[in-house]
């Protein structure tokens, strides 16, 4: 496979990973109440046909892309997560993929959906990296080392060039967070902490670092 074809294939896997993550976010029921967000029940997936279709296409593509590579990837994972570490790591990933709920059947279904979404995203990124090739990865590594600084064995790290990188990263994070706040979370706080952050933000926006005590102490 030519270098251009490898780059195109890797770009396709990255695009699929981003699309799958976007589809997964659209399956979360945020609402306008203070509380943890959950995925919709599995029985209601047909109510979000576009998101379900994107995830289904991602699943088919990942299964096709993993043919012949699953055993090698599993062996590679076992090399770094030896013995009990790999199953424990997988269990932690599954149990932390969704917020605990009182409705046990729905919670189990949500764990299955969220774990599948995480696995599809991880494998899409893995397939993107495999598509690039070792030569291309070496070039990318040299670029990242030039940008962030290279670790020197037995000595101090080279001074990283973080100025432009830090500003660009901060700007991208701000844009992504703003997009999520508007498009996913409906410009409304959903957790108690977010309500407190909003109160603090409004305080700082008035030019104050602190406010006087409320006139009614009981409040």
């Amino acid at each position: 496979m030519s270098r251009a074809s490898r780059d195109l294939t890797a770009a396709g896997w990255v695009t699929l990973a981003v699309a799958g993550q976007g589809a997964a976010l659209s399956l979360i029921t945020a609402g306008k109440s203070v509380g943890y967000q959950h995925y919709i029940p599995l029985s209601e997936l047909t109510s979000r046909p576009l998101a379900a279709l994107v995830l289904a296409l991602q699943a088919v593509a990942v299964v096709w892309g993993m043919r012949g590579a699953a055993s090698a990837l599993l062996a590679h994972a076992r090399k770094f997560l030896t013995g009990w570490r790999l199953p424990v790591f997988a269990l932690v990933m599954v149990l932390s993929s969704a917020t605990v709920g009182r409705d046990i059947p729905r919670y189990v279904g949500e764990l299955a959906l969220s774990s599948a979404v995480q696995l599809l995203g991880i494998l899409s990124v893995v397939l993107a990296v495999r598509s690039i090739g070792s030569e291309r990865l070496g070039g990318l590594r040299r670029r990242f080392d030039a940008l962030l600084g290279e670790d020197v064995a037995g000595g101090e790290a080279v001074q990283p060039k973080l100025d432009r990188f830090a500003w660009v990263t901060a700007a991208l994070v701000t844009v992504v967070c703003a997009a999520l706040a508007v498009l996913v979370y409906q410009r409304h706080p959903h957790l108690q902490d977010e309500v407190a952050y909003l109160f603090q933000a409004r305080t700082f926006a008035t030019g104050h670092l602190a406010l006087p005590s409320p006139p009614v102490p009981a409040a």
Side-chain angles (χ1 to χ4, degrees), residues 138-163:
L140 291 175
R141 179 175 183 177
R142 288 190 292 273
R143 290 185 182 182
F144 278 110
D145 286 342
L147 180 64
L148 301 175
E150 181 180 1
D151 291 335
V152 179
E156 295 182 357
V158 176
Q159 184 64 31
K161 303 174 183 178
L162 281 176
D163 292 347

Side-chain angles (χ1 to χ4, degrees), residues 54-67:
V54 170
L55 290 175
L57 291 176
Q58 184 184 16
V60 171
V62 166
V63 170
W64 176 84
M66 287 295 295
R67 68 191 194 286

Side-chain angles (χ1 to χ4, degrees), residues 96-113:
S96 63
S97 64
T99 305
V100 177
R102 295 182 178 181
D103 187 339
I104 300 301
R106 178 173 178 178
Y107 172 57
V108 172
E110 186 175 6
L111 278 180
L113 176 59

Side-chain angles (χ1 to χ4, degrees), residues 211-216:
L211 293 177
S213 298
V216 183

Side-chain angles (χ1 to χ4, degrees), residues 134-202:
S134 57
E135 180 182 351
R136 185 66 164 167
L137 284 176
L140 291 175
R141 179 175 183 177
R142 288 190 292 273
R143 290 185 182 182
F144 278 110
D145 286 342
L147 180 64
L148 301 175
E150 181 180 1
D151 291 335
V152 179
E156 295 182 357
V158 176
Q159 184 64 31
K161 303 174 183 178
L162 281 176
D163 292 347
R164 184 177 64 179
F165 176 80
W167 281 107
V168 171
T169 303
L172 289 175
V173 170
T174 301
V175 170
V176 171
C177 289
L180 290 175
V182 173
L183 301 176
V184 178
Y185 297 113
Q186 302 174 350
R187 300 172 59 193
H188 188 82
H190 292 84
L191 300 177
Q192 291 84 346
D193 289 347
E194 296 175 2
V195 176
Y197 298 154
L198 183 59
F199 179 80
Q200 293 164 357
R202 288 173 175 169

Side-chain angles (χ1 to χ4, degrees), residues 17 58 89 93 115-128:
Q58 184 184 16
F89 174 77
M93 287 287 292
S115 299
V117 167
Q118 285 189 154
L119 183 61
L120 289 175
I122 292 172
L123 293 180
S124 295
V125 174
V126 168
L127 289 168

